[in-house]
Amino acid sequence: MFRDKKWWYGRVESGFGSTENYVVALRNMEYSIVPVPVGNNIFQVIGAGGSPPYKFSMSITENERRCIQVRGNAASMSMALIPILGFMIPSFVANEVECPGAEQLSNYELVSPTL
């Protein structure tokens, strides 16, 4: 999983994990390699400030490598105008993407998960 550099939520950590616990927090230009169990998994990403988690499911098979990009949710920018929306719209979202190459990852800082 990785997080690009974007201007919104640049200093805010985004937590990633399962519905039971978060295993890594990422800031802009950081990545982590998180081992996950084989099978159907429900993951979530959360930010600071009381926004709800963004939940998504992913099916993992044996010896499979999948990549997730975490990014600030542009829709949550509306909470600057209507603050109550901050409690209804996730600050961060995550999507499965093509895995970045070693050259691209060399620009990121590796963050170890807490398992």
Side-chain angles (χ1 to χ4, degrees):
M1 68 175 319
F2 65 100
R3 186 170 145 189
D4 287 332
K5 185 174 184 177
K6 299 290 183 192
W7 65 271
W8 65 84
Y9 298 114
R11 296 180 180 258
V12 178
E13 287 184 333
S14 53
F16 171 83
S18 67
T19 55
E20 289 85 36
N21 64 331
Y22 293 96
V23 295
V24 68
L26 295 179
R27 294 183 187 269
N28 284 350
M29 299 305 292
E30 293 182 338
Y31 78 101
S32 185
I33 300 169
V34 179
V36 296
V38 170
N40 292 323
N41 295 280
I42 297 175
F43 300 112
Q44 57 187 26
V45 177
I46 195 164
S51 68
Y54 176 81
K55 295 182 180 189
F56 63 101
S57 61
M58 183 180 283
S59 180
I60 310 277
T61 60
E62 187 92 21
N63 297 320
E64 182 178 31
R65 180 179 155 194
R66 308 281 287 274
C67 294
I68 299 168
Q69 180 182 28
V70 175
R71 58 185 168 79
N73 185 1
S76 69
M77 295 306 290
S78 60
M79 70 183 173
L81 300 172
I82 308 169
I84 192 75
L85 292 178
F87 297 106
M88 300 174 175
I89 300 173
S91 298
F92 291 94
V93 295
N95 299 91
E96 184 177 1
V97 296
E98 185 176 324
C99 292
E103 184 177 327
Q104 182 182 352
L105 283 180
S106 69
N107 297 313
Y108 292 71
E109 182 179 338
L110 177 62
V111 176
S112 298
T114 306
L115 302 174

